[in-house]
Amino acid sequence: EEAKSSPAAAYRSPLVSRYASKEMAYNFSDRKKFTTWRKLWIYLAKAEKSLGLPITEAQIQEMESHQKDIDFAMAAEEERKLRHDVMAHVHTFAHCCPTAAPIIHLGATSCYVGDNTDLIVLRDGFDILLPKLARVIDRLANFAETYADLPTLGFTHYQPAQLTTVGKRACLWLQDLTMDIRNLQRARDDLRFRGVKGTTGTQASFLQLFQGDHDKVEELDRLVTEMASFQKSYLVTGQTYSRKVDVDCLSSLASLGATVHKVSCRSWRHIEMLPPCGHSRQCASACRSRNPMRSEPDPLQTASVQWLERTLDDSANRRISLAESFLTADIILSTLQNISEGLVVYPKVIERHIRQELPFMATENIIMAVVKAGGNRQDCHEKIRVLSQEAAAVVKQEGGDNDLLARVQKDPYFAPILGQLDAILEPKTFIGRAPQQVARFLSEEVRPLLEPYRSKMDVKIELEL
């Protein structure tokens, strides 16, 4: 029995125990949640007092002096008796604030603390994620700049195609990540406060408290919203704010998850590039591709079936889906920053892969050179076609190297252009405007996005997996 009661005997989410940062874990902790509830009760009392309700400064000071000293054991016992978490914490708060007990939660419904706290936590969660995402973008931008003109095989439909550069490929990841940082910032900035709306969102209880004074009810909503550092509150709610808000927030995280999955090392073909390795275990962990967000079904379902002013299926899955989506995004970004700060490129491996494919890609250039030297295009095309098939057979049927270039060099037909072959097969002549695209993309679209996060850019990530 003693073993069963120990902290190690209960399940703990590995997102908290192993992966996510301390700041994100705290953001979704019980302590953050319930101290925020008490903070919201203090905001409400202060606003109600300023608008003329009979609340004393002594009552407010008593509440403020006990904002953080929560008796969690008492709250758990109260919840066991009352079967209601908010009222359990009202009673627990009232126990240590006997003078303020009559005015705690005055006129409010449970969602005054529940939903408003969720909105604060969502906002704070975005504030944790955004600098992390900015650092990932910054590290990959530096990487793209470094390798802007290093040729590498391009692929379409998983088949070798025209050459690109390592830096240009990184910019494809960066383009998606810049969309993600804009999406997260927009979702964060679109968040409003629920404010004080009452049991079904009509503010009837507050209108009664202020004896029918609509202006005071609106001012109460504005004051509490301002104290919580939100610029606006939702003008209409049911008992809860619309769960479309949750969908909007978690959709931006799901989209980020799709980007990270694409960037992950499963797509780093042929061992041309590897994540950093501090030691074998970290390397294995850092290289492992993490799954995209698991957040979509729950919030979408909750939003679609939240009929009338509130339904019974609103609470439980939100306790999981909101927290675990942000916790997952947190460790994903920490891992990706760790990887992007130490990506190792293997130019010789890249060069070997290019040599295997480039002769096939260069056939049109060879034909043009022969024509310029006085040859017939149709005859040259047929010669190249036959030699290419022979070389392809060596590669595909015998597992050998691409020997097309050697076949061209041995064929007397191509003697007039042999001196040009090195120039014709120079990889950098096949990369188009990739280096110029990298430079313009980084200067015009990536670097400006990072300016708001410049002061937080030097943070290093040390993974402890």
Side-chain angles (χ1 to χ4, degrees), residues 171-235:
C171 284
L172 298 181
W173 307 334
L174 279 165
Q175 186 171 52
D176 289 357
L177 289 168
T178 57
M179 293 175 67
D180 290 318
I181 199 168
R182 286 193 291 265
N183 287 342
L184 265 64
Q185 188 68 59
R186 181 208 53 76
R188 188 258 186 230
D189 292 344
D190 280 355
L191 286 173
R192 298 187 185 188
F193 206 48
R194 179 190 174 275
V196 286
K197 298 297 194 297
T199 305
T200 59
T202 65
Q203 297 176 304
S205 57
F206 296 104
L207 192 63
Q208 185 176 0
L209 278 175
F210 289 103
Q211 300 179 353
D213 191 327
H214 290 268
D215 290 338
K216 284 191 174 181
V217 174
E218 288 206 1
E219 181 64 5
L220 177 70
D221 200 14
R222 189 195 68 77
L223 286 172
V224 173
T225 298
E226 184 180 79
M227 290 179 193
S229 301
F230 281 83
Q231 293 184 352
K232 294 180 179 179
S233 66
Y234 295 107
L235 295 180

Side-chain angles (χ1 to χ4, degrees), residues 300-408:
L300 285 171
Q301 179 178 344
T302 301
S304 64
V305 299
Q306 194 192 39
W307 304 324
L308 307 177
E309 281 65 50
R310 191 184 186 185
T311 46
L312 289 171
D313 52 4
D314 176 75
S315 297
N317 67 51
R318 293 181 69 252
R319 298 174 190 266
I320 300 170
S321 63
L322 294 179
E324 295 206 351
S325 294
F326 276 82
L327 289 163
T328 304
D330 183 71
I331 182 55
I332 278 177
L333 290 176
S334 294
T335 303
L336 189 55
Q337 180 183 335
N338 177 261
I339 289 172
S340 61
E341 287 176 343
L343 284 173
V344 181
V345 174
Y346 296 99
K348 293 299 182 182
V349 177
I350 294 174
E351 184 181 339
R352 183 174 74 246
H353 294 150
I354 289 175
R355 284 201 308 269
Q356 291 171 349
E357 300 292 342
L358 191 58
F360 293 141
M361 300 177 191
T363 54
E364 185 61 29
N365 293 24
I366 294 173
I367 292 172
M368 294 303 297
V370 169
V371 171
K372 287 181 181 180
N376 179 279
R377 190 185 192 286
Q378 284 70 34
D379 292 342
C380 185
H381 187 278
E382 180 61 19
K383 284 275 190 183
I384 287 289
R385 186 186 68 81
V386 172
L387 295 180
S388 295
Q389 288 181 339
E390 292 172 355
V394 171
V395 173
K396 296 176 181 178
Q397 297 176 19
E398 302 175 17
D401 292 334
N402 185 345
D403 63 356
L404 175 58
L405 182 58
R407 293 174 186 274
V408 169

Side-chain angles (χ1 to χ4, degrees), residues 276-317:
C277 295
H279 49 77
S280 59
R281 180 173 178 179
Q282 180 172 342
C283 182
S285 299
C287 187
R288 189 174 301 119
S289 171
R290 299 189 182 276
N291 292 328
M293 304 307 168
R294 47 183 292 188
S295 63
E296 286 287 37
D298 284 347
L300 285 171
Q301 179 178 344
T302 301
S304 64
V305 299
Q306 194 192 39
W307 304 324
L308 307 177
E309 281 65 50
R310 191 184 186 185
T311 46
L312 289 171
D313 52 4
D314 176 75
S315 297
N317 67 51

